mmCIF file of all heavy atoms in Angstrom:
data_model
loop_
_atom_site.group_PDB
_atom_site.id
_atom_site.type_symbol
_atom_site.label_atom_id
_atom_site.label_comp_id
_atom_site.label_asym_id
_atom_site.label_seq_id
_atom_site.Cartn_x
_atom_site.Cartn_y
_atom_site.Cartn_z
ATOM 1 N N LEU A 150 -7.964 16.511 4.067
ATOM 2 C CA LEU A 150 -7.062 15.749 5.001
ATOM 3 C C LEU A 150 -5.629 15.974 4.760
ATOM 4 O O LEU A 150 -4.920 16.443 5.681
ATOM 5 C CB LEU A 150 -7.504 14.273 4.972
ATOM 6 C CG LEU A 150 -6.613 13.203 5.706
ATOM 7 C CD1 LEU A 150 -6.377 13.658 7.177
ATOM 8 C CD2 LEU A 150 -7.277 11.876 5.727
ATOM 9 N N PRO A 151 -5.086 15.752 3.538
ATOM 10 C CA PRO A 151 -3.725 16.118 3.374
ATOM 11 C C PRO A 151 -3.443 17.666 3.507
ATOM 12 O O PRO A 151 -2.361 18.034 4.081
ATOM 13 C CB PRO A 151 -3.387 15.757 1.911
ATOM 14 C CG PRO A 151 -4.681 15.378 1.261
ATOM 15 C CD PRO A 151 -5.638 15.023 2.363
ATOM 16 N N ILE A 152 -4.421 18.516 3.210
ATOM 17 C CA ILE A 152 -4.288 19.928 3.474
ATOM 18 C C ILE A 152 -4.103 20.184 4.918
ATOM 19 O O ILE A 152 -3.215 20.965 5.345
ATOM 20 C CB ILE A 152 -5.492 20.698 2.892
ATOM 21 C CG1 ILE A 152 -5.533 20.615 1.372
ATOM 22 C CG2 ILE A 152 -5.485 22.149 3.416
ATOM 23 C CD1 ILE A 152 -6.826 21.157 0.700
ATOM 24 N N ALA A 153 -4.890 19.564 5.764
ATOM 25 C CA ALA A 153 -4.780 19.744 7.237
ATOM 26 C C ALA A 153 -3.456 19.310 7.760
ATOM 27 O O ALA A 153 -2.816 19.971 8.541
ATOM 28 C CB ALA A 153 -5.899 19.034 7.919
ATOM 29 N N MET A 154 -2.972 18.192 7.230
ATOM 30 C CA MET A 154 -1.668 17.623 7.683
ATOM 31 C C MET A 154 -0.526 18.566 7.286
ATOM 32 O O MET A 154 0.370 18.930 8.030
ATOM 33 C CB MET A 154 -1.364 16.254 7.074
ATOM 34 C CG MET A 154 -2.331 15.181 7.557
ATOM 35 S SD MET A 154 -2.401 13.731 6.486
ATOM 36 C CE MET A 154 -0.863 12.932 6.946
ATOM 37 N N LEU A 155 -0.595 18.967 6.028
ATOM 38 C CA LEU A 155 0.438 19.925 5.505
ATOM 39 C C LEU A 155 0.446 21.301 6.226
ATOM 40 O O LEU A 155 1.489 21.913 6.458
ATOM 41 C CB LEU A 155 0.315 20.055 3.993
ATOM 42 C CG LEU A 155 0.655 18.792 3.223
ATOM 43 C CD1 LEU A 155 0.100 18.919 1.783
ATOM 44 C CD2 LEU A 155 2.118 18.516 3.193
ATOM 45 N N ALA A 156 -0.749 21.711 6.566
ATOM 46 C CA ALA A 156 -0.895 22.999 7.247
ATOM 47 C C ALA A 156 -0.241 22.902 8.667
ATOM 48 O O ALA A 156 0.428 23.831 9.112
ATOM 49 C CB ALA A 156 -2.353 23.410 7.398
ATOM 50 N N CYS A 157 -0.376 21.738 9.278
ATOM 51 C CA CYS A 157 0.320 21.523 10.567
ATOM 52 C C CYS A 157 1.813 21.610 10.343
ATOM 53 O O CYS A 157 2.520 22.307 11.104
ATOM 54 C CB CYS A 157 0.007 20.148 11.147
ATOM 55 S SG CYS A 157 -1.707 19.958 11.799
ATOM 56 N N THR A 158 2.358 20.953 9.288
ATOM 57 C CA THR A 158 3.791 20.999 9.122
ATOM 58 C C THR A 158 4.244 22.439 8.791
ATOM 59 O O THR A 158 5.376 22.784 9.082
ATOM 60 C CB THR A 158 4.256 20.055 8.016
ATOM 61 O OG1 THR A 158 3.872 20.567 6.755
ATOM 62 C CG2 THR A 158 3.626 18.616 8.163
ATOM 63 N N ARG A 159 3.365 23.160 8.130
ATOM 64 C CA ARG A 159 3.706 24.572 7.761
ATOM 65 C C ARG A 159 4.104 25.390 8.992
ATOM 66 O O ARG A 159 5.032 26.158 8.965
ATOM 67 C CB ARG A 159 2.518 25.211 7.066
ATOM 68 C CG ARG A 159 2.807 26.553 6.378
ATOM 69 C CD ARG A 159 3.469 26.258 5.106
ATOM 70 N NE ARG A 159 3.838 27.445 4.306
ATOM 71 C CZ ARG A 159 4.493 27.340 3.163
ATOM 72 N NH1 ARG A 159 4.892 26.118 2.695
ATOM 73 N NH2 ARG A 159 4.789 28.376 2.472
ATOM 74 N N ILE A 160 3.412 25.197 10.083
ATOM 75 C CA ILE A 160 3.618 25.975 11.257
ATOM 76 C C ILE A 160 4.324 25.212 12.390
ATOM 77 O O ILE A 160 4.448 25.717 13.508
ATOM 78 C CB ILE A 160 2.294 26.606 11.766
ATOM 79 C CG1 ILE A 160 1.286 25.552 12.162
ATOM 80 C CG2 ILE A 160 1.673 27.507 10.731
ATOM 81 C CD1 ILE A 160 0.037 26.047 12.777
ATOM 82 N N GLY A 161 4.714 23.939 12.067
ATOM 83 C CA GLY A 161 5.425 23.237 13.075
ATOM 84 C C GLY A 161 4.552 22.569 14.125
ATOM 85 O O GLY A 161 5.054 22.075 15.164
ATOM 86 N N ALA A 162 3.261 22.493 13.861
ATOM 87 C CA ALA A 162 2.381 21.774 14.784
ATOM 88 C C ALA A 162 2.525 20.273 14.474
ATOM 89 O O ALA A 162 2.871 19.900 13.390
ATOM 90 C CB ALA A 162 0.924 22.186 14.584
ATOM 91 N N VAL A 163 2.235 19.387 15.430
ATOM 92 C CA VAL A 163 2.446 18.005 15.329
ATOM 93 C C VAL A 163 1.109 17.373 15.080
ATOM 94 O O VAL A 163 0.212 17.414 15.944
ATOM 95 C CB VAL A 163 3.056 17.446 16.645
ATOM 96 C CG1 VAL A 163 3.238 15.918 16.559
ATOM 97 C CG2 VAL A 163 4.346 18.143 16.964
ATOM 98 N N HIS A 164 0.903 16.745 13.900
ATOM 99 C CA HIS A 164 -0.412 16.153 13.706
ATOM 100 C C HIS A 164 -0.488 14.713 14.233
ATOM 101 O O HIS A 164 0.494 14.004 14.317
ATOM 102 C CB HIS A 164 -0.910 16.217 12.242
ATOM 103 C CG HIS A 164 -0.018 15.540 11.196
ATOM 104 N ND1 HIS A 164 0.044 14.179 11.122
ATOM 105 C CD2 HIS A 164 0.678 16.066 10.211
ATOM 106 C CE1 HIS A 164 0.842 13.826 10.078
ATOM 107 N NE2 HIS A 164 1.280 15.013 9.524
ATOM 108 N N SER A 165 -1.678 14.411 14.661
ATOM 109 C CA SER A 165 -1.980 13.069 15.186
ATOM 110 C C SER A 165 -3.235 12.625 14.514
ATOM 111 O O SER A 165 -4.360 12.993 14.916
ATOM 112 C CB SER A 165 -2.156 13.071 16.700
ATOM 113 O OG SER A 165 -2.783 11.910 17.157
ATOM 114 N N VAL A 166 -3.112 11.880 13.370
ATOM 115 C CA VAL A 166 -4.246 11.444 12.623
ATOM 116 C C VAL A 166 -4.776 10.201 13.226
ATOM 117 O O VAL A 166 -4.024 9.236 13.490
ATOM 118 C CB VAL A 166 -3.886 11.189 11.125
ATOM 119 C CG1 VAL A 166 -5.088 10.775 10.292
ATOM 120 C CG2 VAL A 166 -3.296 12.440 10.459
ATOM 121 N N VAL A 167 -6.071 10.193 13.479
ATOM 122 C CA VAL A 167 -6.685 8.939 14.003
ATOM 123 C C VAL A 167 -7.658 8.418 12.923
ATOM 124 O O VAL A 167 -8.510 9.149 12.458
ATOM 125 C CB VAL A 167 -7.472 9.283 15.317
ATOM 126 C CG1 VAL A 167 -8.175 8.028 15.837
ATOM 127 C CG2 VAL A 167 -6.544 9.830 16.374
ATOM 128 N N PHE A 168 -7.454 7.200 12.556
ATOM 129 C CA PHE A 168 -8.255 6.521 11.523
ATOM 130 C C PHE A 168 -9.735 6.686 11.808
ATOM 131 O O PHE A 168 -10.193 6.425 12.937
ATOM 132 C CB PHE A 168 -7.884 5.065 11.431
ATOM 133 C CG PHE A 168 -8.783 4.235 10.605
ATOM 134 C CD1 PHE A 168 -8.968 4.516 9.211
ATOM 135 C CD2 PHE A 168 -9.443 3.111 11.107
ATOM 136 C CE1 PHE A 168 -9.766 3.764 8.416
ATOM 137 C CE2 PHE A 168 -10.280 2.324 10.298
ATOM 138 C CZ PHE A 168 -10.418 2.634 8.970
ATOM 139 N N ALA A 169 -10.492 7.242 10.876
ATOM 140 C CA ALA A 169 -11.929 7.554 11.124
ATOM 141 C C ALA A 169 -12.818 6.345 11.177
ATOM 142 O O ALA A 169 -14.049 6.450 10.975
ATOM 143 C CB ALA A 169 -12.400 8.576 10.076
ATOM 144 N N GLY A 170 -12.252 5.133 11.388
ATOM 145 C CA GLY A 170 -13.023 3.968 11.617
ATOM 146 C C GLY A 170 -12.935 3.600 13.110
ATOM 147 O O GLY A 170 -13.600 2.729 13.575
ATOM 148 N N TYR A 171 -12.108 4.353 13.850
ATOM 149 C CA TYR A 171 -11.963 4.076 15.320
ATOM 150 C C TYR A 171 -13.212 4.650 15.991
ATOM 151 O O TYR A 171 -13.815 5.629 15.556
ATOM 152 C CB TYR A 171 -10.745 4.771 15.861
ATOM 153 C CG TYR A 171 -9.498 3.925 15.767
ATOM 154 C CD1 TYR A 171 -8.395 4.308 14.975
ATOM 155 C CD2 TYR A 171 -9.398 2.760 16.475
ATOM 156 C CE1 TYR A 171 -7.299 3.526 14.862
ATOM 157 C CE2 TYR A 171 -8.233 1.954 16.428
ATOM 158 C CZ TYR A 171 -7.182 2.377 15.640
ATOM 159 O OH TYR A 171 -6.048 1.604 15.528
#
Side-chain angles (χ1 to χ4, degrees):
L150 172 49
I152 292 169
M154 294 161 78
L155 291 164
C157 288
T158 72
R159 192 77 179 175
I160 61 174
V163 179
H164 61 70
S165 163
V166 181
V167 179
F168 171 58
Y171 273 115

